[in-house]
Amino acid sequence: MARDKPERLLNLTFMLLSTSRFLPKHQIRRAIGPYREAPSDDAFERMFERDKEELRALGIDIETGSFDSLFEDELGYRIRRDTAELPEIELTPEESAAVGVAANVWQHPGLAGDSSRAVVKLKAAGLVIDPSVLSVEEPRLSAEDPAFDAVLEAATTRRPVAFRYQRPGYDAEERQLQPWGVLSWRDRWYVGGFDINREGPRLFRISRVQGAVKFIGAAGSYEVPADASMRAVAAALFPPTPDRTAVLRVAPGRAHALRASAVSTTPLADGRDEIEVPFAVVSELAAEIASYGDGVVAVSPADVQDAVIAHLREAAGGVA
Amino acid sequence: MSAADRLTRLFALVPYLQNNQGIPVQQVAQEFGVSVKEILKDISTLWVTGTADEHGQLIDFDYSALEDEGLVYIHDAEFLPRPLRLSRNEGVALVIGLRALRETAGDAQRAAIDSALVKLEAAVGDAARTPVDIHVERVDPAILATVRGALAESKRLEIDYTTQSRDERAHRQVDPLRLFTSEGHHYLEAWCLREQDVRIFRLDRMLEATLTGEPAETREAEPRDLAADLVDSPDAPRAVFDLDPRAHWMVEYYHATVLSPPGAELPDDVLRVRIVGADHAWLVRFGLRYAGVARVVEPGSLADDVAAAARAALSAYDGINGTTEE
C-alpha cells in the first residue's frame, strides 16, 4: 500500500465505508501500511487521531461504537454511507449558476476554499454549474478582521466567548458574549448577542476586538432566545420603517434627498414645491429638515413643526 | 492548491468517474479546473487505494484506454458511488455566499437564489440556519434594472443624481463600464462625457436613469483607484465637535477621529472628535442636523455660520408657536 498521506486517508475512508460492522483499531492498523509501520503504539495513535480530525474537517464523520458485545470497551470505527454521502439534489440551470457565483463571493482564503470545495462535490454529483447563465452583479465578501474566524465559529456553534474590546475614545475592556448572530453591514462585520456582564443584548464591531477570542464554554451551551433579533440588536444601523407623513415646503433646487423620498410633490405659486415625505421618528426628520436651513419649512403635522423649531433654536443658540 | 483541495478532488473523482465512464481526461481536467497532469497524478494515487490490503479491492483503471485513447474507465470503486456530503464549513461558506448574492440580485435572480437555498438544505444541514446576515443598501429597482441593462448591452445612459457632498442635482451622460458594491453601497463606474474621464456614481444617489438610445463607445479606460475616490481628500475641510453620548455612534458612521483624551474641563462621556466634511456647506448642514448632540468646538467661523443659518431658517416660523425673538 502507498505511503503518502492522501493515500492513507483515502484508504482509511474507503475501508471504513465498506464495512457494516464497527472495525476495531487493531484491524485498521494492520490493514493500512503507514499505521502498521509506525515506530511505536504512541506514534500510530497520534497519526490515527490526526487523520480522523483531518477527515472530519473534510466533512467525513467517523462513527465509533462497540464492535464486540463481550468486550464493551473495545471501540470500533465505521463510516455510514447514507450519512457520509451527499443527498440527492437537483438544481435548475439558474439555481446551479447561483451556486457557482456564490462560490466566488468570498475573498477570505479559508471560506473561499470551503465554498470552492463545496462546488467540486456538487459537480461530482452531476450538477452542471455554469456561473455565466446568471446575469448578476457579483458581490465580494472579505473578512480580514483577525477575530472573524473565531467569532464565526462561536456564532455557528453557539459557544460563549470572551475578548478585549476597544470602543473608540474608551479604554479596552474585557467583554463576555453569547453570540446570536453575525452581520455584514457596509462591508463591516458585527457580532450581536447577549452580553453576559451587562446582562442584555449588545452589538460589537469585530474589527474592534483586540487580541485572541477565547471560547469560554462548550458548543451549544446556550440557547438563542426565540424572540432574539439581530435586527433589534443592530437597530442603530437600520432605519425604522416610516409610518407617518409630513408636509414640507421646499425652495427651488434645495433638499434633493428629501424631494427624492417624497410621495407627492405640488408646485406652489411662489416657485417652491410642497412635498409630502414619509418618516418614522419625529426627531430624526426634524434634524434632517433643520439641516437644510432656510431651504425647507415644515408645515405639518404640528409635532414635526414644533420639533423643527426647537431644533433650530438649539442650533441658533447652542454653540460652544 | 492546498492539501484539503487535493483530497476533496480525489474523493470527488471516485463517484464522478463512475458516473462518466469513458470520459476524456482533458474533460475531467477542465471540469475540475486543473491540468491534465494533475488529473493523471490523481489517477495514479487512486490506483493504489482501496478498501483493504489483504482481501479487499483496489481501485482499478483501464490502463490501455487511458494510455492509448486518453479515456478514463474506473472499476472496483462501488463503495463510493456518490460524492461525500458537504462539511459544516463548506455549507456555511456556500450559504453565506448565496445570501450575499441575494442582496445584489434582481427579482428574477433572487427567486433562483432562494430556491437554491431551499434545495441545498438537505445537503448542508445545520449550515442552512447559520446566523450570518449580509446587508447591502437597497437601490430603486427600476434604476438598478436600467443601469444593469445599459451595462449588459453597452448603451449610453443619461443620469440625474445628487452627490453626498452637495445639495445639488446634476445631470450627466455616461457610458457604463462596471457595477460593483463597496462598503454596502452599489456603485456605477462609467465614462462621463462631460468630464471626459471615468467617474464613480453611487446608485442610491441617482434620481433617474434613462437610456439615451445611443450605444456606448468602447474605449480603453484605466480602472480608477477606488481608494482615492471613496475616502476623503486631503483638501476637505475639517472641524472638531464635542459629542454627547447619544451621538457616539457618529464616530463609526462618519469615520470620525477621536482626539486624544479630553482634558479635565470636559464632562464624562463627552467625546471630542474631528470630522472631515466634503465642503463647508456640508459641515454647516452637519452642525445644523446634529445641534444639541454635537457642538462645534472649532473653527469658530463654522459655529457662527451654523447659528446664522439656524436663525435664517427660524424666521420662516415667525408668529407660529412663539418663535418670535425675545
Side-chain angles (χ1 to χ4, degrees):
Chain A
M1 291 265 258
R3 304 288 175 246
D4 295 341
K5 188 161 76 161
E7 285 89 333
R8 188 172 80 234
L9 291 174
L10 287 164
N11 282 322
L12 177 60
T13 306
F14 296 155
M15 182 180 188
L16 295 178
L17 267 174
S18 55
T19 180
S20 47
R21 62 188 185 92
F22 291 97
L23 292 180
K25 210 186 284 189
H26 62 84
Q27 189 175 339
I28 295 170
R29 186 175 182 180
R30 226 177 27 235
I32 292 178
Y35 291 163
R36 204 170 50 228
E37 287 155 29
S40 69
D41 287 352
D42 253 1
F44 156 65
E45 294 285 342
R46 282 196 307 269
M47 202 188 299
F48 186 51
E49 287 309 309
R50 281 200 305 268
D51 286 351
K52 281 192 289 165
E53 190 47 44
E54 202 159 328
L55 289 178
R56 203 191 55 81
L58 288 179
I60 301 166
D61 276 333
I62 297 176
E63 209 189 331
T64 53
S66 158
F67 88 99
D68 190 318
S69 51
L70 286 180
F71 299 95
E72 283 168 10
D73 57 342
E74 176 84 58
L75 271 183
Y77 305 87
R78 72 173 179 198
I79 297 171
R80 286 184 47 182
R81 228 174 70 186
D82 53 356
T83 50
E85 282 177 357
L86 194 66
E88 291 287 341
I89 178 167
E90 273 184 41
L91 298 177
T92 66
E94 288 83 15
E95 291 163 353
S96 306
V99 169
V101 177
N104 289 328
V105 158
W106 282 107
Q107 306 295 288
H108 174 301
L111 287 155
D114 283 322
S115 42
S116 68
R117 284 189 285 278
V119 169
V120 166
K121 290 177 175 175
L122 291 169
K123 282 179 162 179
L127 292 172
V128 176
I129 295 187
D130 179 7
S132 68
V133 163
L134 205 72
S135 120
V136 72
E137 192 182 317
E138 297 191 12
R140 293 285 174 260
L141 267 183
S142 60
E144 291 165 355
D145 302 329
F148 179 80
D149 289 3
V151 170
L152 179 63
E153 170 84 19
T156 312
T157 56
R158 282 181 290 120
R159 291 185 77 172
V161 288
F163 49 85
R164 277 181 80 69
Y165 188 73
Q166 215 249 316
R167 284 164 64 197
Y170 293 79
D171 291 326
E173 289 179 304
E174 192 71 18
R175 305 296 286 268
Q176 299 192 330
L177 182 72
Q178 294 176 344
W180 291 346
V182 170
L183 171 69
S184 169
W185 181 86
R186 304 230 174 140
D187 268 0
R188 301 179 209 158
W189 288 102
Y190 296 84
V191 57
F194 185 78
D195 185 318
I196 294 167
N197 302 114
R198 315 247 162 137
E199 296 185 346
R202 289 290 188 278
L203 186 73
F204 297 87
R205 185 161 157 189
I206 297 179
S207 62
R208 300 204 190 278
V209 171
Q210 293 184 339
V213 171
K214 294 180 282 293
F215 295 102
I216 56 175
S221 61
Y222 61 89
E223 290 299 317
V224 177
D227 58 351
S229 148
M230 269 302 287
R231 273 306 260 237
V233 178
L237 301 175
F238 296 99
T241 315
D243 56 358
R244 298 173 64 191
T245 58
V247 176
L248 316 174
R249 290 187 181 145
V250 188
R254 305 285 297 276
H256 289 102
L258 274 176
R259 287 171 178 277
S261 72
V263 293
S264 77
T265 306
T266 313
L268 298 172
D270 59 8
R272 295 186 296 170
D273 289 311
E274 188 164 283
I275 64 174
E276 203 179 339
V277 296
F279 72 98
V281 181
V282 172
S283 57
E284 285 176 21
L285 178 64
E288 189 178 354
I289 291 169
S291 77
Y292 293 110
D294 60 2
V296 179
V297 176
V299 175
S300 68
D303 59 343
V304 169
Q305 192 185 69
D306 289 343
V308 171
I309 290 168
H311 192 105
L312 287 170
R313 291 176 103 177
E314 175 84 48
V319 295
Chain B
M1 179 61 51
S2 70
D5 287 337
R6 182 156 190 253
L7 263 172
T8 299
R9 191 174 67 245
L10 286 164
F11 278 117
L13 276 168
V14 174
Y16 180 79
L17 294 173
Q18 284 177 91
N19 294 327
N20 292 279
Q21 293 283 10
I23 187 173
V25 68
Q26 284 95 333
Q27 205 176 318
V28 181
Q30 200 166 14
E31 180 68 7
F32 283 85
V34 295
S35 66
V36 168
K37 196 165 144 194
E38 284 289 339
I39 296 297
L40 290 173
K41 191 169 154 209
D42 291 341
I43 287 174
S44 68
T45 297
L46 286 169
W47 220 323
V48 295
T49 62
T51 59
D53 217 341
E54 308 136 344
H55 50 266
Q57 304 159 318
L58 292 182
I59 290 178
D60 198 15
F61 292 90
D62 190 329
Y63 178 83
S64 56
L66 190 60
E67 261 298 288
D68 304 335
E69 297 165 82
L71 303 177
V72 188
Y73 291 91
I74 186 173
H75 306 290
D76 298 330
E78 294 85 14
F79 46 80
L80 194 60
R82 280 192 62 71
L84 296 167
R85 69 180 174 95
L86 302 188
S87 70
R88 191 198 74 209
N89 289 354
E90 288 164 3
V92 167
L94 198 59
V95 165
I96 299 174
L98 281 164
R99 290 179 189 168
L101 186 59
R102 206 185 171 279
E103 287 293 295
T104 58
D107 288 329
Q109 291 92 359
R110 205 170 298 140
I113 293 161
D114 283 339
S115 59
L117 277 165
V118 169
K119 287 184 179 177
L120 280 172
E121 272 185 43
V124 302
D126 278 341
R129 281 165 292 287
T130 192
V132 179
D133 285 307
I134 312 295
H135 180 82
V136 175
E137 300 292 330
R138 289 250 167 247
V139 174
D140 180 337
I143 288 180
L144 191 52
T146 305
V147 172
R148 282 186 174 141
L151 186 61
E153 292 162 41
S154 276
K155 295 278 202 292
R156 185 159 291 172
L157 271 173
E158 196 166 284
I159 58 176
D160 258 11
Y161 69 98
T162 62
T163 59
Q164 175 189 14
S165 46
R166 292 174 184 78
D167 182 25
E168 291 167 0
R169 184 172 172 136
H171 197 84
R172 295 281 185 275
Q173 290 211 348
V174 301
D175 288 342
L177 292 166
R178 189 166 74 94
L179 267 175
F180 62 94
T181 49
S182 175
E183 298 223 335
H185 292 289
H186 294 274
Y187 292 90
L188 169 69
E189 190 179 27
W191 178 270
C192 175
L193 266 63
R194 196 176 96 164
E195 308 294 323
Q196 285 293 301
D197 196 1
V198 177
R199 286 285 181 269
I200 292 174
F201 303 92
R202 219 170 88 173
L203 258 68
D204 60 334
R205 303 276 175 201
M206 273 189 202
L207 304 168
E208 266 177 56
T210 44
L211 297 172
T212 63
E214 293 151 48
E217 262 182 61
T218 44
R219 47 172 70 82
E220 296 295 314
E222 287 288 320
R224 280 186 88 95
D225 175 8
L226 282 185
D229 284 314
L230 301 178
V231 301
D232 315 292
S233 90
D235 301 325
R238 288 144 164 78
V240 176
F241 292 85
D242 279 344
L243 302 183
D244 271 6
R246 287 169 294 161
H248 287 186
W249 60 270
M250 286 186 205
V251 175
E252 186 72 25
Y253 195 89
Y254 287 104
H255 301 263
T257 313
V258 177
L259 302 177
S260 42
E265 71 271 13
L266 276 183
D268 289 325
D269 286 348
V270 170
L271 280 185
R272 183 160 287 182
V273 302
R274 183 185 303 114
I275 291 185
V276 181
D279 58 12
H280 184 72
W282 188 95
L283 284 170
V284 171
R285 281 201 301 281
F286 183 94
L288 282 168
R289 185 180 196 128
Y290 298 114
V293 295
R295 280 175 310 129
V296 182
V297 175
E298 53 180 68
S301 58
L302 177 64
D304 295 338
D305 290 344
V306 169
R311 282 193 296 272
L314 273 168
S315 65
Y317 301 95
D318 279 349
I320 300 169
N321 297 343
T323 52
T324 46
E325 301 289 307
E326 285 125 36

